[in-house]
Amino acid sequence: MKSRFLIYVFLLLLLPGCSGQQSGGVAEAGDSLQFSYAKNLTVVSFPDHIEVTLRNPWNGAGTLARYCLYEAGQEPHRTDMTPVRIPLQNAAVFGSVHCALLSELGAGDAVGGICDAEFINQPELKKDIAEGRVANLGNSIQPSLEQVINLNPDALLPSPFENSGGLGRIESLGIPIIWCADYMENSPLGRAEWIRFYGRLFGRGREADSIFCCVEHRYKQLRDLAESTKTRPRLLPEMPWSGQWTLPGSGSGSTRLYEDAGANYLFADLEGSGGIPLSTEKVVDRGINADVWLIKHHGPLDRKQMNADTPLLANIRAKIWWCDTSKKFIYEETPFHPERLLEDLISILHPELEIEAEHHYFEMLKQ
């Protein structure tokens, strides 16, 4: 792990043009951490504390939360912000994606509790949960109050949802709640840039900056390469579930990723920044012309069974590339490493570029 950090730092020094450097402001006013892609995050550093503001992603003019980060021996300077003592050492992390990120940052030991343990894929974390080193806090929508009290974490890290009603009685415990709203960013690099905020929560700010710099550099390289191609294969993602087919809207990070990979995403005109549910009939009507069909599925996928379950799917003649999410860590790795997914998609959409993806999340499904 230490060698990986040294590589990140070395590459950061080699890439002085990498965006996101801290501005040289006046100390009294604070030094703003410059974010080039993240739209919902503001971080201002002072000599003895850090002020963080999260913009409400569902209300551009509103604020989701404000935090005052301070270290041991210091005092929070802002009474109008939630005080958070850093580095966090015993955090309740609600999502597996953030657990994977903390492990990469070298802060995996700071994960004291986890929600939705049944969906955890990382072998080491599963072992820690089974042996009681990491607490199972239950469902991420309604965590166990008793388990949270027993853990007594120094912070909770859940993902916010519009009109969710919050965390109920857990909010009355007085534990700082760090809302992980990174998934609401409308670009892959925007979400990945949140790593710089999480790094500062766990005392890994320099490592986080170095990792993001490398992510950005590789992503832009790949994007520029895809832009040079003359063809844009027609792309259809996902598959129906319970009669509905949820597809990313025009303002989502997934749509931006498809565009950057050199795809003609057939539903790029859908309005919205999240997932848009459509009828299977409507999707098939347009998706029948797709060249590539990307599917994420937990476990083996069988085309004959798909057609038997939903006969309309037989009309789609596109080549199917599927990701077995029970074996591939696509959900855990790619939110903060979109360059890995971009590389894989370009290798699928543009084989003429002869890119050999280091991380293969998708494989061609035998028809």
Side-chain angles (χ1 to χ4, degrees):
M1 184 64 70
K2 182 181 292 184
S3 62
R4 181 185 295 176
F5 290 159
L6 291 175
I7 291 173
Y8 287 142
V9 172
F10 177 70
L11 288 174
L12 179 62
L13 295 175
L14 288 178
L15 299 170
C18 181
S19 60
Q21 302 301 314
Q22 186 164 303
S23 67
V26 181
E28 290 80 6
D31 290 329
S32 294
L33 203 63
Q34 299 299 309
F35 290 96
S36 299
Y37 309 95
K39 306 300 183 184
N40 300 323
L41 185 62
T42 302
V43 177
V44 182
S45 296
F46 294 84
D48 51 5
H49 72 286
I50 300 173
E51 297 179 5
V52 180
T53 301
L54 307 186
R55 187 177 71 92
N56 188 328
W58 300 282
N59 176 8
T63 299
L64 182 64
R66 302 182 74 199
Y67 306 103
C68 179
L69 314 183
Y70 67 100
E71 297 182 1
Q74 301 175 343
E75 295 294 333
H77 287 255
R78 296 293 298 267
T79 58
D80 58 335
M81 296 182 173
T82 300
V84 181
R85 181 171 167 175
I86 57 172
L88 299 178
Q89 298 178 338
N90 182 36
V93 184
F94 284 35
S96 61
V97 59
H98 298 101
C99 289
L101 173 62
L102 295 180
S103 177
E104 182 178 5
L105 285 171
D109 291 342
V111 178
I114 181 71
C115 290
D116 299 330
E118 64 271 25
F119 298 113
I120 296 296
N121 286 330
Q122 299 101 305
E124 292 184 8
L125 186 54
K126 290 175 69 173
K127 182 178 179 181
D128 287 341
I129 295 170
E131 297 179 356
R133 287 189 292 273
V134 173
N136 184 349
L137 304 178
N139 187 283
S140 58
I141 304 300
Q142 291 184 321
S144 168
L145 179 64
E146 179 181 1
Q147 291 296 331
V148 172
I149 292 175
N150 290 339
L151 178 63
N152 190 27
D154 42 25
L156 304 169
L157 277 72
S159 294
F161 298 97
E162 188 177 16
N163 302 321
S164 67
L167 298 178
R169 291 192 297 164
I170 288 179
E171 294 192 21
S172 66
L173 298 177
I175 302 171
I177 299 174
I178 312 294
W179 293 109
C180 299
D182 50 85
Y183 78 98
M184 286 299 296
E185 293 289 342
N186 61 6
S187 71
L189 287 177
R191 183 176 190 181
E193 201 167 21
W194 276 62
I195 187 178
R196 305 179 67 211
F197 166 48
Y198 296 131
R200 281 153 178 80
L201 285 174
F202 291 88
R204 301 287 182 175
R206 182 170 179 80
E207 292 87 346
D209 290 345
S210 301
I211 291 173
F212 178 72
C213 189
C214 297
V215 168
E216 179 194 28
H217 180 72
R218 180 57 176 161
Y219 189 98
K220 291 167 69 174
Q221 273 187 333
L222 291 165
R223 181 190 62 197
D224 292 346
L225 186 61
E227 284 181 353
S228 68
T229 61
K230 296 180 180 180
T231 61
R232 298 185 70 83
R234 292 164 296 192
L235 173 67
L236 175 66
E238 311 304 338
M239 63 183 298
W241 179 259
S242 298
Q244 285 194 322
W245 202 316
T246 301
L247 294 171
S250 59
S252 74
S254 294
T255 297
R256 177 70 67 83
L257 184 76
Y258 299 150
E259 179 183 346
D260 290 343
N264 174 14
Y265 171 40
L266 292 175
F267 289 84
D269 59 339
L270 285 177
E271 294 185 2
S273 58
I276 312 298
L278 300 174
S279 69
T280 300
E281 292 79 6
K282 184 172 183 177
V283 176
V284 171
D285 185 56
R286 190 185 300 188
I288 198 171
N289 296 315
D291 300 306
V292 175
W293 187 2
L294 290 177
I295 298 176
K296 295 187 290 290
H297 187 267
H298 189 81
L301 190 66
D302 184 271
R303 180 65 193 264
K304 291 183 179 179
Q305 189 61 48
M306 288 169 56
N307 295 344
D309 294 340
T310 310
L312 278 173
L313 300 183
N315 295 316
I316 302 175
R317 300 299 182 183
K319 292 181 180 179
I320 297 179
W321 290 79
W322 71 291
C323 173
D324 184 351
T325 58
S326 69
K327 297 179 179 179
K328 303 289 187 178
F329 293 166
I330 188 170
Y331 292 127
E332 294 84 358
E333 295 178 353
T334 61
F336 296 103
H337 279 284
E339 83 287 4
R340 296 177 182 176
L341 181 53
L342 181 64
E343 187 176 59
D344 200 21
L345 294 186
I346 293 175
S347 71
I348 293 169
L349 294 164
H350 297 286
E352 71 277 8
L353 294 177
E354 298 183 344
I355 290 180
E356 181 59 37
E358 182 179 355
H359 296 80
H360 286 289
Y361 297 105
F362 291 90
E363 60 183 272
M364 186 179 293
L365 183 69
K366 295 181 180 179
Q367 302 290 330

